Amino acid sequence: MATTTPVSDPTPSTNLPYLPPKPARPSPLLKESELTSLLQHVSTWSLAKEGEKPALARDYKFAKFKYAVEFVNDMVKIINDDNHHPVIVLNFRDVGVRTLTHVAFHESADGSQIRDQGVTGFDVRLAMRVEKLYEDYVARGYHFVPKPKSSS
């Protein structure tokens, strides 16, 4: 049975009851039903493509360039901790993250493992950890908040 590590103070946007442990490598690709279930915990992330392969993606917007850079630097700590390296795009106050597992597999009809790329537990775990980090930035007021349109 897998052990889980509690996440301190999960917020409603991620609704995380736990953080899944690091999966083994190579990791099995998630089935569509597993992915759908896990994405409920990080509903701000979406299924996208990285080349021809499925990936998880999320864009963040910050109030200032320096907050976007700090977020990327803090993300690097998480990324190195999990040894799982997504595509990160920094464009002024915007940060885009796209993640998929390059060392993954799916099972063939005879039960053998076929090497593949796509979304695994590593990607969902990374999305959960990055989303928690972003929530810390939101709590400090570092995220972008559009100015309300004035009614004249």
Side-chain angles (χ1 to χ4, degrees):
M1 180 165 194
T3 59
T4 58
T5 305
V7 173
S8 60
D9 302 323
T11 64
S13 64
T14 53
N15 194 24
L16 298 177
Y18 65 91
L19 180 65
K22 290 182 194 177
R25 288 191 196 259
S27 294
L29 294 174
L30 293 174
K31 295 177 177 73
E32 191 173 329
S33 61
E34 295 171 313
L35 188 54
T36 301
S37 174
L38 289 169
L39 281 178
Q40 291 176 13
H41 298 295
V42 283
S43 59
T44 53
W45 286 70
S46 61
L47 197 55
K49 292 276 187 186
E50 183 63 30
E52 293 298 313
K53 298 297 182 176
L56 294 181
R58 170 82 155 91
D59 294 321
Y60 297 94
K61 192 167 192 75
F62 295 89
K64 296 181 179 181
F65 172 73
K66 76 177 201 166
Y67 299 149
V69 171
E70 287 173 14
F71 180 74
V72 170
N73 288 334
D74 286 342
M75 236 189 340
V76 167
K77 296 170 190 167
I78 292 169
I79 291 163
N80 283 333
D81 182 51
D82 275 356
N83 192 24
H84 193 59
H85 303 89
V87 172
I88 302 169
V89 177
L90 172 63
N91 184 6
F92 188 47
R93 296 181 307 183
D94 301 327
V95 176
V97 184
R98 212 175 272 267
T99 181
L100 75 134
T101 301
H102 296 278
V103 184
F105 67 88
H106 68 270
E107 289 190 9
S108 66
D110 67 4
S112 62
Q113 294 180 356
I114 299 173
R115 188 171 169 157
D116 205 347
Q117 298 177 358
V119 179
T120 70
F122 270 105
D123 303 296
V124 174
R125 177 184 163 87
L126 180 68
M128 289 177 170
R129 293 186 75 192
V130 171
E131 200 61 25
K132 178 70 176 122
L133 173 66
Y134 182 68
E135 289 169 1
D136 294 342
Y137 274 69
V138 169
R140 296 188 319 221
Y142 290 179
H143 63 299
F144 176 76
V145 178
K147 292 181 182 176
K149 293 181 179 178
S150 61
S151 55
S152 317

